[in-house]
mmCIF file with all atom_site columns, all heavy atoms in Angstrom:
data_model
loop_
_atom_site.group_PDB
_atom_site.id
_atom_site.type_symbol
_atom_site.label_atom_id
_atom_site.label_alt_id
_atom_site.label_comp_id
_atom_site.label_asym_id
_atom_site.label_entity_id
_atom_site.label_seq_id
_atom_site.pdbx_PDB_ins_code
_atom_site.Cartn_x
_atom_site.Cartn_y
_atom_site.Cartn_z
_atom_site.occupancy
_atom_site.B_iso_or_equiv
_atom_site.pdbx_formal_charge
_atom_site.auth_seq_id
_atom_site.auth_comp_id
_atom_site.auth_asym_id
_atom_site.auth_atom_id
_atom_site.pdbx_PDB_model_num
ATOM 1   N N   . LYS A 1 4   ? -161.733 165.004 0.601  1.00 0.00 ? 180 LYS A N   1
ATOM 2   C CA  . LYS A 1 4   ? -161.157 166.310 0.298  1.00 0.00 ? 180 LYS A CA  1
ATOM 3   C C   . LYS A 1 4   ? -161.689 167.332 1.295  1.00 0.00 ? 180 LYS A C   1
ATOM 4   O O   . LYS A 1 4   ? -162.897 167.398 1.536  1.00 0.00 ? 180 LYS A O   1
ATOM 5   C CB  . LYS A 1 4   ? -161.552 166.718 -1.124 1.00 0.00 ? 180 LYS A CB  1
ATOM 6   C CG  . LYS A 1 4   ? -161.094 168.105 -1.517 1.00 0.00 ? 180 LYS A CG  1
ATOM 7   C CD  . LYS A 1 4   ? -161.616 168.486 -2.891 1.00 0.00 ? 180 LYS A CD  1
ATOM 8   C CE  . LYS A 1 4   ? -161.296 169.935 -3.171 1.00 0.00 ? 180 LYS A CE  1
ATOM 9   N NZ  . LYS A 1 4   ? -161.940 170.414 -4.385 1.00 0.00 ? 180 LYS A NZ  1
ATOM 10  N N   . ILE A 1 14  ? -165.331 181.890 10.182 1.00 0.00 ? 190 ILE A N   1
ATOM 11  C CA  . ILE A 1 14  ? -165.636 183.101 9.404  1.00 0.00 ? 190 ILE A CA  1
ATOM 12  C C   . ILE A 1 14  ? -167.061 183.034 8.852  1.00 0.00 ? 190 ILE A C   1
ATOM 13  O O   . ILE A 1 14  ? -167.820 184.001 8.934  1.00 0.00 ? 190 ILE A O   1
ATOM 14  C CB  . ILE A 1 14  ? -164.604 183.286 8.265  1.00 0.00 ? 190 ILE A CB  1
ATOM 15  C CG1 . ILE A 1 14  ? -163.235 183.631 8.854  1.00 0.00 ? 190 ILE A CG1 1
ATOM 16  C CG2 . ILE A 1 14  ? -165.071 184.351 7.266  1.00 0.00 ? 190 ILE A CG2 1
ATOM 17  C CD1 . ILE A 1 14  ? -162.093 183.543 7.852  1.00 0.00 ? 190 ILE A CD1 1
ATOM 18  N N   . THR A 1 43  ? -178.351 170.749 15.229 1.00 0.00 ? 219 THR A N   1
ATOM 19  C CA  . THR A 1 43  ? -178.265 171.274 16.590 1.00 0.00 ? 219 THR A CA  1
ATOM 20  C C   . THR A 1 43  ? -176.888 171.855 16.889 1.00 0.00 ? 219 THR A C   1
ATOM 21  O O   . THR A 1 43  ? -176.776 172.854 17.593 1.00 0.00 ? 219 THR A O   1
ATOM 22  C CB  . THR A 1 43  ? -178.612 170.193 17.627 1.00 0.00 ? 219 THR A CB  1
ATOM 23  O OG1 . THR A 1 43  ? -177.704 169.102 17.494 1.00 0.00 ? 219 THR A OG1 1
ATOM 24  C CG2 . THR A 1 43  ? -180.032 169.687 17.424 1.00 0.00 ? 219 THR A CG2 1
ATOM 25  N N   . ARG A 1 50  ? -176.204 180.618 17.929 1.00 0.00 ? 226 ARG A N   1
ATOM 26  C CA  . ARG A 1 50  ? -176.745 181.292 19.123 1.00 0.00 ? 226 ARG A CA  1
ATOM 27  C C   . ARG A 1 50  ? -175.619 181.834 20.000 1.00 0.00 ? 226 ARG A C   1
ATOM 28  O O   . ARG A 1 50  ? -175.674 182.964 20.481 1.00 0.00 ? 226 ARG A O   1
ATOM 29  C CB  . ARG A 1 50  ? -177.617 180.340 19.923 1.00 0.00 ? 226 ARG A CB  1
ATOM 30  C CG  . ARG A 1 50  ? -178.230 181.008 21.156 1.00 0.00 ? 226 ARG A CG  1
ATOM 31  C CD  . ARG A 1 50  ? -179.150 180.032 21.892 1.00 0.00 ? 226 ARG A CD  1
ATOM 32  N NE  . ARG A 1 50  ? -179.845 180.695 22.971 1.00 0.00 ? 226 ARG A NE  1
ATOM 33  C CZ  . ARG A 1 50  ? -179.410 180.728 24.232 1.00 0.00 ? 226 ARG A CZ  1
ATOM 34  N NH1 . ARG A 1 50  ? -178.277 180.122 24.559 1.00 0.00 ? 226 ARG A NH1 1
ATOM 35  N NH2 . ARG A 1 50  ? -180.109 181.347 25.158 1.00 0.00 ? 226 ARG A NH2 1
ATOM 36  N N   . GLY A 1 65  ? -184.472 176.156 20.008 1.00 0.00 ? 241 GLY A N   1
ATOM 37  C CA  . GLY A 1 65  ? -185.066 174.851 20.241 1.00 0.00 ? 241 GLY A CA  1
ATOM 38  C C   . GLY A 1 65  ? -184.494 173.834 19.284 1.00 0.00 ? 241 GLY A C   1
ATOM 39  O O   . GLY A 1 65  ? -183.774 174.174 18.337 1.00 0.00 ? 241 GLY A O   1
ATOM 40  N N   . GLU A 1 84  ? -184.431 155.502 15.276 1.00 0.00 ? 260 GLU A N   1
ATOM 41  C CA  . GLU A 1 84  ? -184.372 155.970 16.650 1.00 0.00 ? 260 GLU A CA  1
ATOM 42  C C   . GLU A 1 84  ? -184.579 157.476 16.642 1.00 0.00 ? 260 GLU A C   1
ATOM 43  O O   . GLU A 1 84  ? -183.818 158.215 16.016 1.00 0.00 ? 260 GLU A O   1
ATOM 44  C CB  . GLU A 1 84  ? -183.009 155.625 17.253 1.00 0.00 ? 260 GLU A CB  1
ATOM 45  C CG  . GLU A 1 84  ? -182.967 155.800 18.740 1.00 0.00 ? 260 GLU A CG  1
ATOM 46  C CD  . GLU A 1 84  ? -181.674 155.252 19.307 1.00 0.00 ? 260 GLU A CD  1
ATOM 47  O OE1 . GLU A 1 84  ? -181.308 154.111 18.986 1.00 0.00 ? 260 GLU A OE1 1
ATOM 48  O OE2 . GLU A 1 84  ? -181.040 156.000 20.075 1.00 0.00 ? 260 GLU A OE2 1
ATOM 49  N N   . ASN A 1 86  ? -184.831 161.377 17.964 1.00 0.00 ? 262 ASN A N   1
ATOM 50  C CA  . ASN A 1 86  ? -184.123 162.294 18.847 1.00 0.00 ? 262 ASN A CA  1
ATOM 51  C C   . ASN A 1 86  ? -185.164 163.008 19.693 1.00 0.00 ? 262 ASN A C   1
ATOM 52  O O   . ASN A 1 86  ? -186.351 162.894 19.467 1.00 0.00 ? 262 ASN A O   1
ATOM 53  C CB  . ASN A 1 86  ? -183.330 163.307 18.022 1.00 0.00 ? 262 ASN A CB  1
ATOM 54  C CG  . ASN A 1 86  ? -182.236 162.649 17.222 1.00 0.00 ? 262 ASN A CG  1
ATOM 55  O OD1 . ASN A 1 86  ? -181.266 162.183 17.769 1.00 0.00 ? 262 ASN A OD1 1
ATOM 56  N ND2 . ASN A 1 86  ? -182.410 162.595 15.914 1.00 0.00 ? 262 ASN A ND2 1
ATOM 57  N N   . THR A 1 117 ? -193.581 170.325 8.359  1.00 0.00 ? 293 THR A N   1
ATOM 58  C CA  . THR A 1 117 ? -194.747 169.613 8.885  1.00 0.00 ? 293 THR A CA  1
ATOM 59  C C   . THR A 1 117 ? -194.674 169.488 10.405 1.00 0.00 ? 293 THR A C   1
ATOM 60  O O   . THR A 1 117 ? -195.661 169.744 11.106 1.00 0.00 ? 293 THR A O   1
ATOM 61  C CB  . THR A 1 117 ? -194.850 168.210 8.241  1.00 0.00 ? 293 THR A CB  1
ATOM 62  O OG1 . THR A 1 117 ? -194.907 168.362 6.818  1.00 0.00 ? 293 THR A OG1 1
ATOM 63  C CG2 . THR A 1 117 ? -196.085 167.476 8.724  1.00 0.00 ? 293 THR A CG2 1
ATOM 64  N N   . SER A 1 139 ? -178.773 168.968 -6.048 1.00 0.00 ? 315 SER A N   1
ATOM 65  C CA  . SER A 1 139 ? -179.252 167.677 -5.563 1.00 0.00 ? 315 SER A CA  1
ATOM 66  C C   . SER A 1 139 ? -180.680 167.723 -5.051 1.00 0.00 ? 315 SER A C   1
ATOM 67  O O   . SER A 1 139 ? -181.154 166.777 -4.451 1.00 0.00 ? 315 SER A O   1
ATOM 68  C CB  . SER A 1 139 ? -178.340 167.196 -4.428 1.00 0.00 ? 315 SER A CB  1
ATOM 69  O OG  . SER A 1 139 ? -176.995 167.179 -4.837 1.00 0.00 ? 315 SER A OG  1
ATOM 70  N N   . HIS A 1 141 ? -184.594 167.556 -4.494 1.00 0.00 ? 317 HIS A N   1
ATOM 71  C CA  . HIS A 1 141 ? -185.780 166.824 -4.952 1.00 0.00 ? 317 HIS A CA  1
ATOM 72  C C   . HIS A 1 141 ? -187.030 167.673 -4.778 1.00 0.00 ? 317 HIS A C   1
ATOM 73  O O   . HIS A 1 141 ? -188.066 167.380 -5.370 1.00 0.00 ? 317 HIS A O   1
ATOM 74  C CB  . HIS A 1 141 ? -185.961 165.523 -4.173 1.00 0.00 ? 317 HIS A CB  1
ATOM 75  C CG  . HIS A 1 141 ? -184.863 164.536 -4.398 1.00 0.00 ? 317 HIS A CG  1
ATOM 76  N ND1 . HIS A 1 141 ? -184.798 163.346 -3.735 1.00 0.00 ? 317 HIS A ND1 1
ATOM 77  C CD2 . HIS A 1 141 ? -183.772 164.563 -5.206 1.00 0.00 ? 317 HIS A CD2 1
ATOM 78  C CE1 . HIS A 1 141 ? -183.730 162.680 -4.118 1.00 0.00 ? 317 HIS A CE1 1
ATOM 79  N NE2 . HIS A 1 141 ? -183.092 163.394 -5.001 1.00 0.00 ? 317 HIS A NE2 1
ATOM 80  N N   . GLY A 1 150 ? -173.972 179.108 4.042  1.00 0.00 ? 326 GLY A N   1
ATOM 81  C CA  . GLY A 1 150 ? -172.556 179.299 4.283  1.00 0.00 ? 326 GLY A CA  1
ATOM 82  C C   . GLY A 1 150 ? -171.748 179.139 3.021  1.00 0.00 ? 326 GLY A C   1
ATOM 83  O O   . GLY A 1 150 ? -171.004 180.031 2.616  1.00 0.00 ? 326 GLY A O   1
ATOM 84  N N   . ASP A 1 172 ? -163.522 170.906 13.787 1.00 0.00 ? 348 ASP A N   1
ATOM 85  C CA  . ASP A 1 172 ? -164.430 171.643 12.905 1.00 0.00 ? 348 ASP A CA  1
ATOM 86  C C   . ASP A 1 172 ? -163.866 171.550 11.498 1.00 0.00 ? 348 ASP A C   1
ATOM 87  O O   . ASP A 1 172 ? -162.738 172.019 11.239 1.00 0.00 ? 348 ASP A O   1
ATOM 88  C CB  . ASP A 1 172 ? -164.518 173.128 13.310 1.00 0.00 ? 348 ASP A CB  1
ATOM 89  C CG  . ASP A 1 172 ? -165.361 173.334 14.552 1.00 0.00 ? 348 ASP A CG  1
ATOM 90  O OD1 . ASP A 1 172 ? -166.135 172.442 14.924 1.00 0.00 ? 348 ASP A OD1 1
ATOM 91  O OD2 . ASP A 1 172 ? -165.245 174.424 15.144 1.00 0.00 ? 348 ASP A OD2 1
ATOM 92  N N   . GLU A 1 179 ? -166.194 158.108 -3.747 1.00 0.00 ? 355 GLU A N   1
ATOM 93  C CA  . GLU A 1 179 ? -166.031 156.649 -3.789 1.00 0.00 ? 355 GLU A CA  1
ATOM 94  C C   . GLU A 1 179 ? -164.681 156.261 -4.311 1.00 0.00 ? 355 GLU A C   1
ATOM 95  O O   . GLU A 1 179 ? -164.027 156.861 -5.028 1.00 0.00 ? 355 GLU A O   1
ATOM 96  C CB  . GLU A 1 179 ? -167.129 156.060 -4.695 1.00 0.00 ? 355 GLU A CB  1
ATOM 97  C CG  . GLU A 1 179 ? -168.494 156.530 -4.300 1.00 0.00 ? 355 GLU A CG  1
ATOM 98  C CD  . GLU A 1 179 ? -169.330 155.461 -3.676 1.00 0.00 ? 355 GLU A CD  1
ATOM 99  O OE1 . GLU A 1 179 ? -169.076 154.296 -3.909 1.00 0.00 ? 355 GLU A OE1 1
ATOM 100 O OE2 . GLU A 1 179 ? -170.250 155.816 -2.942 1.00 0.00 ? 355 GLU A OE2 1
#
Side-chain angles (χ1 to χ4, degrees):
K180 176 185 173 188
I190 291 168
T219 60
R226 181 177 186 267
E260 192 171 310
N262 295 290
T293 303
S315 306
H317 295 176
D348 285 343
E355 308 251 337

